[in-house]
Amino acid sequence: MTSDPPRLRADARRNVEGIRTAALDVFRAGGLNSPLDEVARAAGVSKGTIYHRFGGRQGLIDSVVEELVAERIRGIVTSVDAVDDPVDRFESYLRQIWLLQYDEPAANDVLLRAMPGSEQLIALCEHASAAAARFLDDAQATGTIRDDLTPDDVHLLIWERGIIARACDQQHRDAYRRSFEHTLRGLRSDA
Amino acid sequence: MTSDPPRLRADARRNVEGIRTAALDVFRAGGLNSPLDEVARAAGVSKGTIYHRFGGRQGLIDSVVEELVAERIRGIVTSVDAVDDPVDRFESYLRQIWLLQYDEPAANDVLLRAMPGSEQLIALCEHASAAAARFLDDAQATGTIRDDLTPDDVHLLIWERGIIARACDQQHRDAYRRSFEHTLRGLRSDA
DNA sequence: ATCGTTCTTGACCATGACGTCAAGTAACGC
DNA sequence: GCGTTACTTGACGTCATGGTCAAGAACGAT
């Protein structure tokens, strides 16, 4: 199972590992569009090696994205799942996703991107979407959250926050939070 | 007054005009970051001429920005000024600015940018900011708009919308409107 | 019509990214 | 140890942008 393809030579294996590690660091810090040269430098390897081993950016992303963000997103879903009040649950889901988008450019890229890649990622996104729809539904049932709100709206709100978060070097976290609280309030039913 | 600097040669005058016109078109369609080569092509002139005549992008912008957006922004302020109800006035100001940002990339760039330039532009922005502050204040006086809202918040809301509008090729106008209505609702006082 | 001056041109350099490949290097099997 | 083959390298090609400048073209004063 480790040696499906004939098995790599020792230096190759070493490099693959080094590159993955470097990619985790670099992508974590700068998002999935960080220059590959930077990853190469961080791995102490030449750009060519990355292309040779991973086929290019997409291959590299596929190979690390799971480890990069899956846990974070799944963590949010399960931790939010434990919240009792349906409205709190819905709102804290959004808050946490929004903050994740601000704090982790890579996760944001994943949430934003048209999801080019891996099976697991698609599953992950569906997991999150399904959870979001569930949270929304429960919250609407209490009458506190507007019932003209659709899962697509939620999607859109996340997308928009992602776009804003990408420009975050120009905005402080507090301002970011303050402003999404406005939006959040707007999702509640009218008096 | 027309001939403060010694007066240009005929071809130069012709080109300056052509470039300004082309810049209006190009910037209108693609925002203030459109490649200067595109402006040059549209003006039937070489890139060098633009640099020679306007000193670069900033100079060119300075020379057309007034004509490009001032009227739109002033128009919004005065038209909104005529609205009776203070809350309507405030909200329709935001709606109109936000739509302007969607519809006119160049205006959006002006609203977004740290305002590098011209005197008149600074005056224009202060005019708009002052109006916004006034609208906010009046609206808050009615008790319908949250009174913890500051002019800075309004600024921020406009900035954020601008960032989103920049990515608008990926979003329909209706979705854009729908989502800013959520935010708008969130600016009202709690029951 | 001529000539000095003003203007314009487009080829040129720079930057920063992606992506490729011939040639050199190092691991592995024997 | 040594040859074979897998691996790596880094120089190179490309594209899209911003920006410059010497040399040639156009103007207009005389």
Side-chain angles (χ1 to χ4, degrees):
Chain A
M1 192 158 262
T2 324
S3 51
D4 220 6
R7 181 179 185 94
L8 294 176
R9 229 171 64 179
D11 51 350
R13 248 175 299 134
R14 215 184 310 131
N15 282 336
V16 166
E17 254 330 286
I19 291 170
R20 290 192 70 251
T21 306
L24 283 172
D25 287 351
V26 171
F27 285 163
R28 195 101 66 185
L32 300 182
N33 292 310
S34 312
L36 289 195
D37 311 61
E38 209 175 310
V39 177
R41 217 178 324 117
V45 131
S46 138
K47 199 177 20 164
T49 304
I50 295 184
Y51 282 94
H52 188 40
R53 287 283 148 237
F54 296 89
R57 154 167 278 113
Q58 193 52 55
L60 182 56
I61 290 177
D62 285 351
S63 134
V64 297
V65 77
E66 173 75 13
E67 187 172 340
L68 200 53
V69 305
E71 197 177 354
R72 291 301 305 266
I73 292 178
R74 260 197 285 273
I76 289 177
V77 171
T78 63
S79 97
V80 166
D81 239 330
V83 173
D84 274 340
D85 180 62
V87 175
D88 281 355
R89 204 186 309 141
F90 174 66
E91 294 190 341
S92 86
Y93 175 74
L94 278 181
R95 281 194 189 93
Q96 297 222 40
I97 290 287
W98 284 340
L99 284 177
L100 177 67
Q101 293 180 280
Y102 184 94
D103 291 327
E104 302 229 21
N108 193 19
D109 285 340
V110 168
L111 256 13
L112 241 42
R113 185 176 306 261
M115 279 310 96
S118 67
E119 318 262 315
Q120 296 181 299
L121 252 206
I122 292 174
L124 174 64
C125 284
E126 263 161 32
H127 177 58
S129 291
R134 195 158 24 90
F135 298 151
L136 172 61
D137 217 54
D138 294 350
Q140 284 173 323
T142 69
T144 306
I145 296 298
R146 303 178 61 84
D147 56 73
D148 65 343
L149 213 62
T150 68
D152 275 355
D153 286 325
V154 175
H155 226 85
L156 180 58
L157 290 169
I158 291 173
W159 179 82
E160 289 184 344
R161 272 295 136 189
I163 297 292
I164 292 171
R166 264 194 187 161
C168 69
D169 26 327
Q170 294 166 57
Q171 194 186 198
H172 281 300
R173 202 166 185 271
D174 290 340
Y176 177 84
R177 297 185 63 151
R178 184 168 167 81
S179 113
F180 76 53
E181 289 297 336
H182 292 141
T183 299
L184 213 46
R185 262 197 309 275
L187 306 183
R188 295 182 161 232
S189 309
D190 309 311
Chain B
M1 191 158 263
T2 323
S3 50
D4 219 7
R7 181 180 185 93
L8 294 176
R9 230 171 63 178
D11 50 350
R13 248 174 299 133
R14 215 184 311 131
N15 283 335
V16 167
E17 254 330 286
I19 291 170
R20 288 192 70 252
T21 306
L24 283 171
D25 288 351
V26 171
F27 285 163
R28 195 100 67 184
L32 300 181
N33 293 310
S34 313
L36 287 194
D37 310 61
E38 208 175 311
V39 177
R41 215 176 328 115
V45 130
S46 137
K47 196 175 26 161
T49 304
I50 296 184
Y51 282 95
H52 187 41
R53 287 281 148 238
F54 296 90
R57 154 165 279 114
Q58 193 51 56
L60 182 55
I61 291 178
D62 285 351
S63 134
V64 298
V65 78
E66 174 74 16
E67 189 172 339
L68 200 53
V69 305
E71 198 178 353
R72 291 301 305 267
I73 292 177
R74 261 196 286 271
I76 289 177
V77 171
T78 63
S79 98
V80 166
D81 240 331
V83 173
D84 275 341
D85 179 63
V87 175
D88 280 355
R89 204 186 308 141
F90 174 66
E91 294 189 343
S92 88
Y93 175 75
L94 278 181
R95 280 196 190 91
Q96 297 220 42
I97 290 286
W98 284 340
L99 284 177
L100 176 67
Q101 292 181 280
Y102 183 95
D103 292 328
E104 302 227 22
N108 193 20
D109 286 340
V110 168
L111 256 14
L112 241 41
R113 188 173 303 260
M115 278 311 96
S118 66
E119 319 261 314
Q120 295 181 298
L121 252 206
I122 292 173
L124 173 63
C125 283
E126 263 162 31
H127 176 58
S129 291
R134 194 159 25 88
F135 298 151
L136 172 62
D137 217 54
D138 294 350
Q140 283 173 323
T142 69
T144 306
I145 296 297
R146 304 179 59 84
D147 55 72
D148 65 343
L149 212 62
T150 68
D152 274 354
D153 286 325
V154 174
H155 226 83
L156 180 58
L157 290 168
I158 290 174
W159 180 82
E160 289 185 343
R161 271 294 137 190
I163 297 292
I164 292 171
R166 265 194 186 160
C168 70
D169 26 327
Q170 293 165 57
Q171 193 187 198
H172 280 300
R173 201 167 187 270
D174 290 339
Y176 177 82
R177 298 185 63 151
R178 183 168 168 82
S179 112
F180 76 52
E181 289 296 337
H182 292 142
T183 299
L184 213 46
R185 262 197 309 276
L187 307 183
R188 294 181 163 233
S189 309
D190 310 312

PDB file of all heavy atoms in Angstrom, chain B residues 140-169:
ATOM      1  N   GLN B 140     -30.044  58.132  13.218  1.00  0.00           N
ATOM      2  CA  GLN B 140     -29.930  57.654  14.597  1.00  0.00           C
ATOM      3  C   GLN B 140     -30.859  58.409  15.526  1.00  0.00           C
ATOM      4  O   GLN B 140     -31.399  57.849  16.481  1.00  0.00           O
ATOM      5  CB  GLN B 140     -28.484  57.793  15.086  1.00  0.00           C
ATOM      6  CG  GLN B 140     -27.579  56.695  14.512  1.00  0.00           C
ATOM      7  CD  GLN B 140     -26.117  56.905  14.837  1.00  0.00           C
ATOM      8  OE1 GLN B 140     -25.651  58.049  14.855  1.00  0.00           O
ATOM      9  NE2 GLN B 140     -25.396  55.826  15.073  1.00  0.00           N
ATOM     10  N   ALA B 141     -31.075  59.676  15.221  1.00  0.00           N
ATOM     11  CA  ALA B 141     -31.942  60.502  16.068  1.00  0.00           C
ATOM     12  C   ALA B 141     -33.361  59.949  16.131  1.00  0.00           C
ATOM     13  O   ALA B 141     -34.082  60.143  17.110  1.00  0.00           O
ATOM     14  CB  ALA B 141     -31.952  61.936  15.561  1.00  0.00           C
ATOM     15  N   THR B 142     -33.772  59.254  15.110  1.00  0.00           N
ATOM     16  CA  THR B 142     -35.127  58.687  15.118  1.00  0.00           C
ATOM     17  C   THR B 142     -35.209  57.439  15.981  1.00  0.00           C
ATOM     18  O   THR B 142     -36.290  56.949  16.258  1.00  0.00           O
ATOM     19  CB  THR B 142     -35.561  58.263  13.697  1.00  0.00           C
ATOM     20  OG1 THR B 142     -34.783  57.122  13.298  1.00  0.00           O
ATOM     21  CG2 THR B 142     -35.357  59.387  12.697  1.00  0.00           C
ATOM     22  N   GLY B 143     -34.051  56.906  16.345  1.00  0.00           N
ATOM     23  CA  GLY B 143     -34.065  55.698  17.167  1.00  0.00           C
ATOM     24  C   GLY B 143     -34.155  54.408  16.370  1.00  0.00           C
ATOM     25  O   GLY B 143     -34.088  53.322  16.929  1.00  0.00           O
ATOM     26  N   THR B 144     -34.294  54.525  15.073  1.00  0.00           N
ATOM     27  CA  THR B 144     -34.430  53.307  14.270  1.00  0.00           C
ATOM     28  C   THR B 144     -33.091  52.689  13.904  1.00  0.00           C
ATOM     29  O   THR B 144     -32.966  51.490  13.697  1.00  0.00           O
ATOM     30  CB  THR B 144     -35.203  53.611  12.967  1.00  0.00           C
ATOM     31  OG1 THR B 144     -36.435  54.240  13.317  1.00  0.00           O
ATOM     32  CG2 THR B 144     -35.484  52.339  12.195  1.00  0.00           C
ATOM     33  N   ILE B 145     -32.090  53.554  13.797  1.00  0.00           N
ATOM     34  CA  ILE B 145     -30.758  53.048  13.460  1.00  0.00           C
ATOM     35  C   ILE B 145     -29.910  52.957  14.730  1.00  0.00           C
ATOM     36  O   ILE B 145     -29.935  53.871  15.556  1.00  0.00           O
ATOM     37  CB  ILE B 145     -30.088  53.984  12.424  1.00  0.00           C
ATOM     38  CG1 ILE B 145     -30.875  53.972  11.101  1.00  0.00           C
ATOM     39  CG2 ILE B 145     -28.638  53.583  12.180  1.00  0.00           C
ATOM     40  CD1 ILE B 145     -30.922  52.646  10.395  1.00  0.00           C
ATOM     41  N   ARG B 146     -29.223  51.845  14.859  1.00  0.00           N
ATOM     42  CA  ARG B 146     -28.399  51.586  16.050  1.00  0.00           C
ATOM     43  C   ARG B 146     -27.543  52.803  16.362  1.00  0.00           C
ATOM     44  O   ARG B 146     -26.884  53.337  15.479  1.00  0.00           O
ATOM     45  CB  ARG B 146     -27.432  50.425  15.793  1.00  0.00           C
ATOM     46  CG  ARG B 146     -28.073  49.148  15.358  1.00  0.00           C
ATOM     47  CD  ARG B 146     -27.004  48.101  15.127  1.00  0.00           C
ATOM     48  NE  ARG B 146     -26.240  47.867  16.332  1.00  0.00           N
ATOM     49  CZ  ARG B 146     -26.614  47.040  17.298  1.00  0.00           C
ATOM     50  NH1 ARG B 146     -27.752  46.360  17.184  1.00  0.00           N
ATOM     51  NH2 ARG B 146     -25.880  46.884  18.379  1.00  0.00           N
ATOM     52  N   ASP B 147     -27.485  53.161  17.624  1.00  0.00           N
ATOM     53  CA  ASP B 147     -26.691  54.349  17.876  1.00  0.00           C
ATOM     54  C   ASP B 147     -25.245  54.063  18.241  1.00  0.00           C
ATOM     55  O   ASP B 147     -24.471  54.983  18.484  1.00  0.00           O
ATOM     56  CB  ASP B 147     -27.359  55.258  18.904  1.00  0.00           C
ATOM     57  CG  ASP B 147     -27.657  54.536  20.171  1.00  0.00           C
ATOM     58  OD1 ASP B 147     -26.687  54.230  20.907  1.00  0.00           O
ATOM     59  OD2 ASP B 147     -28.839  54.239  20.417  1.00  0.00           O
ATOM     60  N   ASP B 148     -24.887  52.781  18.214  1.00  0.00           N
ATOM     61  CA  ASP B 148     -23.458  52.517  18.380  1.00  0.00           C
ATOM     62  C   ASP B 148     -22.725  52.537  17.026  1.00  0.00           C
ATOM     63  O   ASP B 148     -21.546  52.241  16.936  1.00  0.00           O
ATOM     64  CB  ASP B 148     -23.222  51.170  19.075  1.00  0.00           C
ATOM     65  CG  ASP B 148     -23.698  50.000  18.234  1.00  0.00           C
ATOM     66  OD1 ASP B 148     -24.480  50.214  17.284  1.00  0.00           O
ATOM     67  OD2 ASP B 148     -23.283  48.861  18.520  1.00  0.00           O
ATOM     68  N   LEU B 149     -23.480  52.882  16.014  1.00  0.00           N
ATOM     69  CA  LEU B 149     -22.880  52.935  14.682  1.00  0.00           C
ATOM     70  C   LEU B 149     -22.123  54.249  14.505  1.00  0.00           C
ATOM     71  O   LEU B 149     -22.663  55.313  14.779  1.00  0.00           O
ATOM     72  CB  LEU B 149     -24.005  52.832  13.648  1.00  0.00           C
ATOM     73  CG  LEU B 149     -23.677  52.135  12.334  1.00  0.00           C
ATOM     74  CD1 LEU B 149     -23.300  50.687  12.569  1.00  0.00           C
ATOM     75  CD2 LEU B 149     -24.861  52.247  11.392  1.00  0.00           C
ATOM     76  N   THR B 150     -20.900  54.145  14.038  1.00  0.00           N
ATOM     77  CA  THR B 150     -20.102  55.366  13.851  1.00  0.00           C
ATOM     78  C   THR B 150     -19.882  55.631  12.366  1.00  0.00           C
ATOM     79  O   THR B 150     -20.037  54.732  11.548  1.00  0.00           O
ATOM     80  CB  THR B 150     -18.714  55.201  14.496  1.00  0.00           C
ATOM     81  OG1 THR B 150     -17.987  54.219  13.737  1.00  0.00           O
ATOM     82  CG2 THR B 150     -18.832  54.742  15.931  1.00  0.00           C
ATOM     83  N   PRO B 151     -19.497  56.852  12.053  1.00  0.00           N
ATOM     84  CA  PRO B 151     -19.138  57.145  10.663  1.00  0.00           C
ATOM     85  C   PRO B 151     -18.052  56.191  10.155  1.00  0.00           C
ATOM     86  O   PRO B 151     -18.057  55.811   8.996  1.00  0.00           O
ATOM     87  CB  PRO B 151     -18.630  58.584  10.737  1.00  0.00           C
ATOM     88  CG  PRO B 151     -19.395  59.181  11.869  1.00  0.00           C
ATOM     89  CD  PRO B 151     -19.554  58.084  12.871  1.00  0.00           C
ATOM     90  N   ASP B 152     -17.146  55.808  11.016  1.00  0.00           N
ATOM     91  CA  ASP B 152     -16.115  54.853  10.605  1.00  0.00           C
ATOM     92  C   ASP B 152     -16.719  53.520  10.179  1.00  0.00           C
ATOM     93  O   ASP B 152     -16.258  52.878   9.244  1.00  0.00           O
ATOM     94  CB  ASP B 152     -15.119  54.604  11.742  1.00  0.00           C
ATOM     95  CG  ASP B 152     -14.019  55.650  11.745  1.00  0.00           C
ATOM     96  OD1 ASP B 152     -13.996  56.463  10.799  1.00  0.00           O
ATOM     97  OD2 ASP B 152     -13.199  55.647  12.676  1.00  0.00           O
ATOM     98  N   ASP B 153     -17.751  53.107  10.923  1.00  0.00           N
ATOM     99  CA  ASP B 153     -18.432  51.873  10.532  1.00  0.00           C
ATOM    100  C   ASP B 153     -18.976  52.000   9.117  1.00  0.00           C
ATOM    101  O   ASP B 153     -18.865  51.082   8.309  1.00  0.00           O
ATOM    102  CB  ASP B 153     -19.594  51.573  11.490  1.00  0.00           C
ATOM    103  CG  ASP B 153     -19.100  51.078  12.844  1.00  0.00           C
ATOM    104  OD1 ASP B 153     -18.086  50.364  12.876  1.00  0.00           O
ATOM    105  OD2 ASP B 153     -19.745  51.408  13.856  1.00  0.00           O
ATOM    106  N   VAL B 154     -19.577  53.128   8.856  1.00  0.00           N
ATOM    107  CA  VAL B 154     -20.162  53.338   7.530  1.00  0.00           C
ATOM    108  C   VAL B 154     -19.071  53.270   6.466  1.00  0.00           C
ATOM    109  O   VAL B 154     -19.213  52.610   5.444  1.00  0.00           O
ATOM    110  CB  VAL B 154     -20.890  54.696   7.471  1.00  0.00           C
ATOM    111  CG1 VAL B 154     -21.366  54.972   6.057  1.00  0.00           C
ATOM    112  CG2 VAL B 154     -22.052  54.705   8.453  1.00  0.00           C
ATOM    113  N   HIS B 155     -17.985  53.919   6.774  1.00  0.00           N
ATOM    114  CA  HIS B 155     -16.828  53.870   5.895  1.00  0.00           C
ATOM    115  C   HIS B 155     -16.429  52.432   5.598  1.00  0.00           C
ATOM    116  O   HIS B 155     -16.199  52.032   4.459  1.00  0.00           O
ATOM    117  CB  HIS B 155     -15.664  54.571   6.595  1.00  0.00           C
ATOM    118  CG  HIS B 155     -14.937  55.520   5.727  1.00  0.00           C
ATOM    119  ND1 HIS B 155     -15.350  56.796   5.517  1.00  0.00           N
ATOM    120  CD2 HIS B 155     -13.820  55.356   4.981  1.00  0.00           C
ATOM    121  CE1 HIS B 155     -14.520  57.387   4.693  1.00  0.00           C
ATOM    122  NE2 HIS B 155     -13.589  56.531   4.341  1.00  0.00           N
ATOM    123  N   LEU B 156     -16.337  51.688   6.659  1.00  0.00           N
ATOM    124  CA  LEU B 156     -15.923  50.291   6.548  1.00  0.00           C
ATOM    125  C   LEU B 156     -16.902  49.488   5.702  1.00  0.00           C
ATOM    126  O   LEU B 156     -16.506  48.683   4.845  1.00  0.00           O
ATOM    127  CB  LEU B 156     -15.821  49.689   7.950  1.00  0.00           C
ATOM    128  CG  LEU B 156     -15.405  48.223   8.018  1.00  0.00           C
ATOM    129  CD1 LEU B 156     -14.064  48.028   7.336  1.00  0.00           C
ATOM    130  CD2 LEU B 156     -15.354  47.752   9.463  1.00  0.00           C
ATOM    131  N   LEU B 157     -18.186  49.731   5.935  1.00  0.00           N
ATOM    132  CA  LEU B 157     -19.193  49.005   5.159  1.00  0.00           C
ATOM    133  C   LEU B 157     -19.052  49.307   3.681  1.00  0.00           C
ATOM    134  O   LEU B 157     -19.197  48.425   2.828  1.00  0.00           O
ATOM    135  CB  LEU B 157     -20.591  49.389   5.640  1.00  0.00           C
ATOM    136  CG  LEU B 157     -20.957  48.856   7.031  1.00  0.00           C
ATOM    137  CD1 LEU B 157     -22.223  49.511   7.533  1.00  0.00           C
ATOM    138  CD2 LEU B 157     -21.093  47.342   7.001  1.00  0.00           C
ATOM    139  N   ILE B 158     -18.722  50.537   3.392  1.00  0.00           N
ATOM    140  CA  ILE B 158     -18.545  50.906   1.984  1.00  0.00           C
ATOM    141  C   ILE B 158     -17.277  50.265   1.431  1.00  0.00           C
ATOM    142  O   ILE B 158     -17.260  49.741   0.315  1.00  0.00           O
ATOM    143  CB  ILE B 158     -18.512  52.443   1.843  1.00  0.00           C
ATOM    144  CG1 ILE B 158     -19.904  52.999   2.128  1.00  0.00           C
ATOM    145  CG2 ILE B 158     -18.027  52.849   0.460  1.00  0.00           C
ATOM    146  CD1 ILE B 158     -19.984  54.504   2.174  1.00  0.00           C
ATOM    147  N   TRP B 159     -16.247  50.274   2.221  1.00  0.00           N
ATOM    148  CA  TRP B 159     -15.000  49.647   1.791  1.00  0.00           C
ATOM    149  C   TRP B 159     -15.217  48.164   1.485  1.00  0.00           C
ATOM    150  O   TRP B 159     -14.822  47.663   0.434  1.00  0.00           O
ATOM    151  CB  TRP B 159     -13.937  49.824   2.874  1.00  0.00           C
ATOM    152  CG  TRP B 159     -12.623  49.208   2.525  1.00  0.00           C
ATOM    153  CD1 TRP B 159     -11.661  49.767   1.736  1.00  0.00           C
ATOM    154  CD2 TRP B 159     -12.145  47.930   2.913  1.00  0.00           C
ATOM    155  NE1 TRP B 159     -10.605  48.891   1.617  1.00  0.00           N
ATOM    156  CE2 TRP B 159     -10.866  47.764   2.322  1.00  0.00           C
ATOM    157  CE3 TRP B 159     -12.650  46.891   3.705  1.00  0.00           C
ATOM    158  CZ2 TRP B 159     -10.104  46.613   2.497  1.00  0.00           C
ATOM    159  CZ3 TRP B 159     -11.898  45.740   3.875  1.00  0.00           C
ATOM    160  CH2 TRP B 159     -10.637  45.607   3.280  1.00  0.00           C
ATOM    161  N   GLU B 160     -15.882  47.504   2.402  1.00  0.00           N
ATOM    162  CA  GLU B 160     -16.096  46.072   2.212  1.00  0.00           C
ATOM    163  C   GLU B 160     -16.921  45.782   0.967  1.00  0.00           C
ATOM    164  O   GLU B 160     -16.614  44.875   0.194  1.00  0.00           O
ATOM    165  CB  GLU B 160     -16.780  45.473   3.451  1.00  0.00           C
ATOM    166  CG  GLU B 160     -15.872  45.396   4.651  1.00  0.00           C
ATOM    167  CD  GLU B 160     -16.506  44.694   5.830  1.00  0.00           C
ATOM    168  OE1 GLU B 160     -17.759  44.544   5.832  1.00  0.00           O
ATOM    169  OE2 GLU B 160     -15.788  44.301   6.754  1.00  0.00           O
ATOM    170  N   ARG B 161     -17.949  46.545   0.775  1.00  0.00           N
ATOM    171  CA  ARG B 161     -18.754  46.356  -0.435  1.00  0.00           C
ATOM    172  C   ARG B 161     -17.911  46.577  -1.671  1.00  0.00           C
ATOM    173  O   ARG B 161     -18.085  45.913  -2.690  1.00  0.00           O
ATOM    174  CB  ARG B 161     -19.933  47.333  -0.448  1.00  0.00           C
ATOM    175  CG  ARG B 161     -21.186  46.857   0.222  1.00  0.00           C
ATOM    176  CD  ARG B 161     -21.791  45.682  -0.497  1.00  0.00           C
ATOM    177  NE  ARG B 161     -22.207  44.709   0.512  1.00  0.00           N
ATOM    178  CZ  ARG B 161     -22.601  43.476   0.221  1.00  0.00           C
ATOM    179  NH1 ARG B 161     -22.625  43.053  -1.028  1.00  0.00           N
ATOM    180  NH2 ARG B 161     -22.936  42.655   1.180  1.00  0.00           N
ATOM    181  N   GLY B 162     -17.015  47.510  -1.575  1.00  0.00           N
ATOM    182  CA  GLY B 162     -16.154  47.785  -2.722  1.00  0.00           C
ATOM    183  C   GLY B 162     -15.308  46.576  -3.078  1.00  0.00           C
ATOM    184  O   GLY B 162     -15.160  46.218  -4.251  1.00  0.00           O
ATOM    185  N   ILE B 163     -14.770  45.967  -2.051  1.00  0.00           N
ATOM    186  CA  ILE B 163     -13.955  44.773  -2.270  1.00  0.00           C
ATOM    187  C   ILE B 163     -14.797  43.694  -2.942  1.00  0.00           C
ATOM    188  O   ILE B 163     -14.370  43.028  -3.890  1.00  0.00           O
ATOM    189  CB  ILE B 163     -13.415  44.253  -0.924  1.00  0.00           C
ATOM    190  CG1 ILE B 163     -12.499  45.271  -0.288  1.00  0.00           C
ATOM    191  CG2 ILE B 163     -12.702  42.925  -1.127  1.00  0.00           C
ATOM    192  CD1 ILE B 163     -11.214  45.479  -1.026  1.00  0.00           C
ATOM    193  N   ILE B 164     -16.011  43.538  -2.459  1.00  0.00           N
ATOM    194  CA  ILE B 164     -16.887  42.525  -3.046  1.00  0.00           C
ATOM    195  C   ILE B 164     -17.237  42.883  -4.482  1.00  0.00           C
ATOM    196  O   ILE B 164     -17.195  42.040  -5.376  1.00  0.00           O
ATOM    197  CB  ILE B 164     -18.167  42.383  -2.209  1.00  0.00           C
ATOM    198  CG1 ILE B 164     -17.834  41.771  -0.854  1.00  0.00           C
ATOM    199  CG2 ILE B 164     -19.202  41.545  -2.933  1.00  0.00           C
ATOM    200  CD1 ILE B 164     -18.963  41.786   0.142  1.00  0.00           C
ATOM    201  N   ALA B 165     -17.531  44.141  -4.692  1.00  0.00           N
ATOM    202  CA  ALA B 165     -17.932  44.569  -6.038  1.00  0.00           C
ATOM    203  C   ALA B 165     -16.822  44.321  -7.048  1.00  0.00           C
ATOM    204  O   ALA B 165     -17.072  44.022  -8.207  1.00  0.00           O
ATOM    205  CB  ALA B 165     -18.319  46.043  -6.022  1.00  0.00           C
ATOM    206  N   ARG B 166     -15.587  44.422  -6.576  1.00  0.00           N
ATOM    207  CA  ARG B 166     -14.468  44.168  -7.473  1.00  0.00           C
ATOM    208  C   ARG B 166     -14.481  42.757  -8.007  1.00  0.00           C
ATOM    209  O   ARG B 166     -13.961  42.480  -9.083  1.00  0.00           O
ATOM    210  CB  ARG B 166     -13.151  44.380  -6.741  1.00  0.00           C
ATOM    211  CG  ARG B 166     -12.615  45.737  -6.935  1.00  0.00           C
ATOM    212  CD  ARG B 166     -11.184  45.800  -6.490  1.00  0.00           C
ATOM    213  NE  ARG B 166     -10.747  47.185  -6.562  1.00  0.00           N
ATOM    214  CZ  ARG B 166      -9.708  47.666  -5.904  1.00  0.00           C
ATOM    215  NH1 ARG B 166      -9.016  46.874  -5.123  1.00  0.00           N
ATOM    216  NH2 ARG B 166      -9.376  48.918  -6.041  1.00  0.00           N
ATOM    217  N   ALA B 167     -15.041  41.862  -7.248  1.00  0.00           N
ATOM    218  CA  ALA B 167     -15.084  40.458  -7.669  1.00  0.00           C
ATOM    219  C   ALA B 167     -16.411  40.175  -8.350  1.00  0.00           C
ATOM    220  O   ALA B 167     -16.820  39.029  -8.477  1.00  0.00           O
ATOM    221  CB  ALA B 167     -14.889  39.558  -6.463  1.00  0.00           C
ATOM    222  N   CYS B 168     -17.069  41.246  -8.797  1.00  0.00           N
ATOM    223  CA  CYS B 168     -18.461  41.122  -9.199  1.00  0.00           C
ATOM    224  C   CYS B 168     -18.673  40.281 -10.447  1.00  0.00           C
ATOM    225  O   CYS B 168     -19.758  39.778 -10.688  1.00  0.00           O
ATOM    226  CB  CYS B 168     -19.091  42.488  -9.407  1.00  0.00           C
ATOM    227  SG  CYS B 168     -18.435  43.321 -10.848  1.00  0.00           S
ATOM    228  N   ASP B 169     -17.611  40.111 -11.252  1.00  0.00           N
ATOM    229  CA  ASP B 169     -17.780  39.273 -12.426  1.00  0.00           C
ATOM    230  C   ASP B 169     -18.251  37.885 -12.009  1.00  0.00           C
ATOM    231  O   ASP B 169     -18.718  37.105 -12.817  1.00  0.00           O
ATOM    232  CB  ASP B 169     -16.501  39.197 -13.244  1.00  0.00           C
ATOM    233  CG  ASP B 169     -15.267  39.441 -12.408  1.00  0.00           C
ATOM    234  OD1 ASP B 169     -15.363  40.222 -11.458  1.00  0.00           O
ATOM    235  OD2 ASP B 169     -14.224  38.844 -12.691  1.00  0.00           O
TER     236      ASP B 169
END
